[in-house]
Amino acid sequence: MALQAASTNRAEGVWQVLAALAAADGSAAHPLVATLITPAAAKRDLADAIHAICTIHGRYLFDQVALPEDDTAAEWFAAVTQAFTAERTYLAHLTAAAGPLPSTPGQAEADAAFANQRHAFDMLARSSRKGCAIGAALALILDWRAIRGVLDAAAERFGVTVPPRELPDMDGIAALAVTLGDTPATQRAIAFGAEQVFAQHRGLWSLLEARASARDHA
């Protein structure tokens, strides 16, 4: 019983790690996100953010995540894949409504940075380390809550209907993290994958913040 309790506590610990990472390092903690969701946000900054998010997340990356033989996990990821299909459609509509990418100094460098981020997400999705891709996928879903806030703010400004949110709630994410984090090694890999996603998103928002500043001073 003691060993079983210890295993359960470790499994629950992986969700606590994910939740803590999301709170401290997720998109919601970046100052630009707080600015973009306000009515005073510049339309060109919102447009820039929408184009960047579409460039990086305009396709779902984790539909080929290697899952354990667990029907619950497979069904869960199938539902997430379907939900992200709707999010991609929403993002495509927003990108079209936002119009052309705003002229910004250093565009070539930004394009290279976006390409590097796409590559980083591709590598995470294809990782052979058990738990890494799962952790990245869970972190993307967690962080999408804040990203969706920016999308919805842009929708209000660009006249796009805001669709309902279909991604899993926090309880569902927590339950899956606990289910799949069945060993210490897997738990560490899940945490590593999540850390990488949050780091990539922080880098994205910081780049967009620098681009907004460059436009203001051009």
Side-chain angles (χ1 to χ4, degrees):
M1 290 295 292
L3 286 176
Q4 183 178 359
S7 177
T8 300
N9 288 339
R10 284 196 298 269
E12 291 177 349
V14 73
W15 164 243
Q16 294 171 356
V17 168
L18 289 177
L21 285 170
D25 300 329
S27 293
H30 199 285
L32 181 63
V33 172
T35 298
L36 290 176
I37 62 176
T38 65
K43 274 192 170 183
R44 61 184 183 178
D45 295 344
L46 279 168
D48 199 30
I50 295 303
H51 278 279
I53 295 166
C54 189
T55 296
I56 294 170
H57 289 311
R59 64 212 192 317
Y60 184 59
L61 298 173
F62 299 102
D63 49 348
Q64 296 181 344
V65 170
L67 296 172
E69 295 183 3
D70 182 291
D71 289 340
T72 301
E75 291 175 4
W76 193 91
F77 268 89
V80 168
T81 299
Q82 183 175 355
F84 256 110
T85 298
E87 292 298 304
R88 289 202 312 273
T89 300
Y90 178 34
L91 185 53
H93 289 161
L94 279 173
T95 305
L101 187 69
S103 178
T104 308
Q107 185 63 52
E109 291 82 355
D111 288 341
F114 295 145
N116 288 336
Q117 289 201 312
R118 284 198 309 272
H119 177 70
F121 279 106
D122 284 336
M123 294 298 290
L124 287 169
R126 296 197 303 265
S127 174
S128 59
R129 182 183 176 187
K130 181 184 176 183
C132 182
I134 291 169
L138 293 175
L140 176 59
I141 299 164
L142 278 171
D143 219 29
W144 199 259
R145 295 163 64 90
I147 293 172
R148 185 54 133 81
V150 174
L151 301 189
D152 292 351
E156 293 289 339
R157 301 290 293 279
F158 297 126
V160 175
T161 300
V162 177
R165 303 187 184 197
E166 299 178 3
L167 288 170
D169 59 19
M170 298 287 277
D171 289 342
I173 301 170
L176 189 71
V178 170
T179 298
L180 298 183
D182 53 352
T183 68
T186 302
Q187 292 159 20
R188 289 193 295 272
I190 288 173
F192 174 79
E195 286 175 344
Q196 298 308 303
V197 167
F198 293 130
Q200 290 297 326
H201 283 169
R202 283 199 311 276
L204 170 63
W205 297 119
S206 292
L207 174 57
L208 291 173
E209 189 174 49
R211 284 171 58 79
S213 178
R215 286 190 295 271
D216 289 343
H217 294 91

